[in-house]
Amino acid sequence: MNIDRRSGCPINLSLEVFGDRWSLIILRDMIFGGKRHFRELLNGSIEGIASNILADRLKRLMELGMLTKADDPSHKQKAIYSLTDMAITLVPILAHLGAWGRVWLPTSEELSIRAELLEKGGPPMWERFMDELRHEHLGTPADASAGTSVRATLQAGFEAVVARKALSAGRDPAS
């Protein structure tokens, strides 16, 4: 990997990794959405990333050591992307970023509920989530006593807000 760096400042170096428009969105979709295939990332992002940009950012994230890529054993023509521990340890940063955005930016309730739940869950929830991601992406042993996964808890919160808003608008939440 040949990346020009402007300085050794940790904030500058971090911005050189995450300062583009898409890298954190891709990592967000992998961490919170469980997306691991190119098509899932391409079609599942509400922000609408272009395929050439996605391919470029995935390559860059792999070069930086944040992702790995392997053949998907369930399908000969698919690759599966996995988070490395370097990417997994972003969970607290993403939790803080989401908490900040909820306070200072015009977020939607359904898209900010996960950030709210992570903020309320604090470091214990973040650690549990990172452990779950390590199991899913790195193959570490699962904690059998953990109960409902953090991702499932966050998804349930999202679905509850969507259902409540649909009911209050007189729509069928299942549609």
Side-chain angles (χ1 to χ4, degrees), residues 39-117:
R39 285 271 168 229
E40 290 175 323
L41 291 161
L42 182 65
N43 298 327
S45 176
I46 60 173
E47 290 82 10
I49 190 169
S51 61
N52 62 323
I53 301 295
L54 176 58
D56 178 70
R57 292 315 183 280
L58 288 169
K59 181 181 175 190
R60 181 169 166 77
L61 290 167
M62 286 187 298
E63 289 172 349
L64 290 165
M66 301 196 74
L67 298 179
T68 59
K69 178 181 171 183
D71 291 336
D72 187 336
S74 70
H75 194 284
K76 290 180 188 176
Q77 295 175 326
K78 282 186 176 180
I80 189 164
Y81 293 91
S82 295
L83 300 165
T84 64
D85 206 48
M86 182 184 192
I88 291 168
T89 59
L90 288 170
V91 166
I93 294 165
L94 293 173
H96 284 292
L97 196 57
W100 181 87
R102 277 184 355 89
V103 170
W104 297 105
L105 301 172
T107 62
S108 69
E109 184 183 3
E110 58 270 18
L111 294 178
S112 64
I113 187 63
R114 292 177 182 102
E116 180 181 341
L117 293 170

Side-chain angles (χ1 to χ4, degrees):
M1 174 176 66
N2 188 10
I3 297 175
D4 292 329
R5 303 192 190 290
R6 291 180 294 226
S7 78
C9 168
I11 294 172
N12 170 68
L13 291 170
S14 297
L15 284 175
E16 288 181 10
V17 172
F18 304 116
D20 71 82
R21 184 176 176 151
W22 295 106
S23 294
L24 280 176
I25 299 300
I26 292 166
L27 293 169
R28 175 206 65 191
D29 288 349
M30 290 183 73
I31 291 170
F32 297 105
K35 294 171 177 55
R36 300 194 56 189
H37 296 97
F38 186 89
R39 285 271 168 229
E40 290 175 323
L41 291 161
L42 182 65
N43 298 327
S45 176
I46 60 173
E47 290 82 10
I49 190 169
S51 61
N52 62 323
I53 301 295
L54 176 58
D56 178 70
R57 292 315 183 280
L58 288 169
K59 181 181 175 190
R60 181 169 166 77
L61 290 167
M62 286 187 298
E63 289 172 349
L64 290 165
M66 301 196 74
L67 298 179
T68 59
K69 178 181 171 183
D71 291 336
D72 187 336
S74 70
H75 194 284
K76 290 180 188 176
Q77 295 175 326
K78 282 186 176 180
I80 189 164
Y81 293 91
S82 295
L83 300 165
T84 64
D85 206 48
M86 182 184 192
I88 291 168
T89 59
L90 288 170
V91 166
I93 294 165
L94 293 173
H96 284 292
L97 196 57
W100 181 87
R102 277 184 355 89
V103 170
W104 297 105
L105 301 172
T107 62
S108 69
E109 184 183 3
E110 58 270 18
L111 294 178
S112 64
I113 187 63
R114 292 177 182 102
E116 180 181 341
L117 293 170
L118 275 173
E119 183 180 4
K120 288 179 180 174
M125 180 182 246
W126 308 341
E127 287 296 328
R128 208 170 109 226
F129 194 26
M130 288 188 291
D131 287 344
E132 291 169 7
L133 291 167
R134 286 182 184 104
H135 172 68
E136 180 181 340
H137 290 265
L138 305 175
T140 62
D143 180 2
S145 66
T148 304
S149 75
V150 172
R151 187 182 292 130
T153 299
L154 300 176
Q155 184 63 24
F158 169 77
E159 290 170 4
V161 170
V162 169
R164 182 180 46 74
K165 290 183 97 173
L167 285 175
S168 68
R171 293 189 318 268
D172 179 8
S175 61

